[in-house]
Amino acid sequence: MTKDQALNLLGLAKRANRLTSGEAFVLGAIRDQSARLVLVASDASANTKKKFTDKSSFYEIPLVDSLTTMELSHAIGAKRSLIAVCDSGFAKKLLKLLT
C-alpha cells in the first residue's frame, strides 16, 4: 500500500511540476542542489546507479532505489529510470513512504 501511495504522490509531484527527469537534468539538479530526493530505478544500469549514488552522497541528497523503471515510468507518464524531486515537502513524504 505504501508503494502505491508513493507512486500516486510521484504523479502528483509531476503534475505540480516539481520533478526533473533525464540523466543530464537530474545531474544538474544535484549539482545546483535544487534536488531534494533522487529516485533511481532498481533495474537501472550499474554505471548509472554508481554515478548517481556517488553524486547524491557527495552533495548529501537522499537517494532511493526501491522502485523499478516500469513503476517510475507509469507514475509520471514517461519512460524514465531516473527522477529528481525538487520540492522538500514531496521529498520528505516520499522518503517516509519508501524507506
Side-chain angles (χ1 to χ4, degrees):
M1 183 66 177
T2 59
K3 187 182 272 192
D4 289 338
Q5 289 175 330
L7 293 172
N8 288 336
L9 189 62
L10 202 53
L12 186 62
K14 171 68 174 170
R15 290 187 297 280
N17 203 24
R18 299 289 187 229
L19 299 181
T20 302
S21 62
E23 193 168 326
F25 294 116
V26 171
L27 198 54
I30 291 171
R31 285 184 179 146
D32 69 13
Q33 296 185 344
S34 63
R36 301 288 175 238
L37 172 66
V38 176
L39 299 165
V40 179
S42 58
D43 53 354
S45 71
N47 186 32
T48 300
K49 280 185 179 180
K50 181 180 181 342
K51 180 179 186 177
F52 285 93
T53 301
D54 292 348
K55 283 288 182 194
S56 296
S57 167
F58 180 79
Y59 286 99
E60 297 178 354
I61 297 170
L63 182 133
V64 175
D65 64 353
S66 61
L67 300 170
T68 65
T69 300
M70 190 174 83
E71 290 170 331
L72 289 174
S73 300
H74 184 70
I76 67 166
K79 186 166 177 21
R80 295 284 185 251
S81 60
L82 186 63
I83 298 172
V85 179
C86 298
D87 182 89
S88 56
F90 282 120
K92 184 178 177 182
K93 184 66 176 177
L94 282 166
L95 264 175
K96 187 177 178 182
L97 290 170
L98 293 172
T99 53

